Amino acid sequence: MAPGNNGHGQGGGQGGLPGNPLDVLNVAPEAVPGLRAAFTAALSRIDGELGLDDIGLRVEPWAKDPVSAEAATAVNGLTADDQERAALLALRTFRAQLDTAVHNLDKITEQYRLLEEDNSATVTQKGSQG
């Protein structure tokens, strides 16, 4: 595949930079409901994982030995202690991206619906004029 080509006839943007207007995903109308269902299911799973934050992700050392203390410190550093709470931040970021995808698929569905209505009206007008 040539650089800047995503294999679908669209330019891949400038080095694949996110947010570049040339980075376009073409979605066939019949694929939208399935994509939306998949993203919505993923949102539900992520929301379940984020619910863990409410009950707390901190772990205590399993025993009163140095190895358990080091392991608990390492686990807490990945999930709860890091100033940005790395694991939760990643989940929240991914959730926001999924939510955006679902909203965009809803917009695509509405655009396809409006296009179909417009096409039906055009065909009806041409049929009554001829």
Side-chain angles (χ1 to χ4, degrees):
M1 193 174 333
N5 185 350
N6 65 11
H8 298 286
Q10 296 288 328
Q14 298 175 356
L17 296 174
N20 188 306
L22 295 178
D23 289 331
V24 175
L25 175 64
N26 291 317
V27 180
E30 62 274 8
V32 172
L35 283 171
R36 189 183 189 289
F39 288 143
T40 301
L43 272 172
S44 293
R45 288 192 304 269
I46 296 275
D47 286 342
E49 295 297 324
L50 287 173
L52 291 174
D53 188 36
D54 296 335
I55 61 172
L57 293 175
R58 294 192 57 74
V59 296
E60 298 297 322
W62 298 273
K64 298 203 186 280
D65 65 313
V67 173
S68 294
E70 286 179 28
T73 299
V75 169
N76 288 333
L78 291 172
T79 60
D81 288 342
D82 186 83
Q83 79 184 141
E84 292 186 320
R85 300 181 76 175
L88 289 173
L89 178 63
L91 278 175
R92 286 186 180 119
T93 301
F94 184 54
R95 192 211 180 281
Q97 292 170 341
L98 285 172
D99 193 50
T100 298
V102 169
H103 288 296
N104 286 339
L105 288 169
D106 288 342
K107 288 179 187 175
I108 289 169
T109 299
E110 180 63 12
Q111 288 172 346
Y112 281 139
R113 186 188 65 76
L114 291 172
L115 182 63
E116 283 299 315
E117 285 179 4
D118 187 48
N119 287 343
S120 293
T122 301
V123 168
T124 302
Q125 277 183 341
K126 288 185 178 180
S128 65
Q129 292 174 355

